[in-house]
Amino acid sequence: MNTLSTTLLGAVFAVLAVFFAAPMVAGGSTNICKDVEAHNVQTAASAIAGNDSGTMYSVINSIGQAGATGDIERYEQRSAHPHIPLVVSCTVAFWRSL
C-alpha cells in the first residue's frame, strides 16, 4: 500500500469511529439505542417544560430517563429499517436528532 491509500484508509476508519463513538460518549453507555432514547426524552422534557432547566424539566426528565431502556427505540428502528443492523440505524437516528 502506498502512503495515499494508508492515509485514506486511516481517515475512513477515523470517521467511522467518530460516527459510532460520539453517541455512546454523549449518552454515557455502550447501548446506542438507549442513548438515542435518553436523548429523545431530554428533548421532549425540554419541549414540555419550555426550557432545559428548572423543577418541571427535572421531574419530567427524571421520570422519562427511568423508563428509557432503549427498547422503544430498538422497536421503532427495527420496524422502520428491518434490513439494517440496529447499531447502524440507532446511530443514524442519533445524528438526525441533533
Side-chain angles (χ1 to χ4, degrees):
M1 285 173 91
N2 61 23
T3 306
L4 180 61
S5 297
T6 304
T7 303
L8 288 175
L9 188 60
V12 168
F13 179 74
V15 167
L16 285 174
V18 169
F19 178 75
F20 286 106
M24 291 186 287
V25 170
S29 77
T30 58
N31 184 341
I32 295 176
C33 292
K34 181 180 184 232
D35 297 337
V36 172
E37 195 170 311
H39 178 74
N40 292 343
V41 166
Q42 288 175 336
T43 303
S46 178
I48 292 169
N51 57 24
D52 59 353
S53 62
T55 306
M56 173 83 79
Y57 169 79
S58 296
V59 169
I60 295 169
N61 189 44
S62 296
I63 292 170
Q65 294 299 334
T69 61
D71 292 339
I72 294 170
E73 189 65 31
R74 276 192 293 278
Y75 176 77
E76 286 180 7
Q77 294 303 323
R78 190 175 292 127
S79 296
H81 314 286
H83 302 295
I84 298 175
L86 281 174
V87 68
V88 174
S89 59
C90 284
T91 303
V92 170
F94 175 82
W95 287 107
R96 283 184 179 167
S97 70
L98 297 181

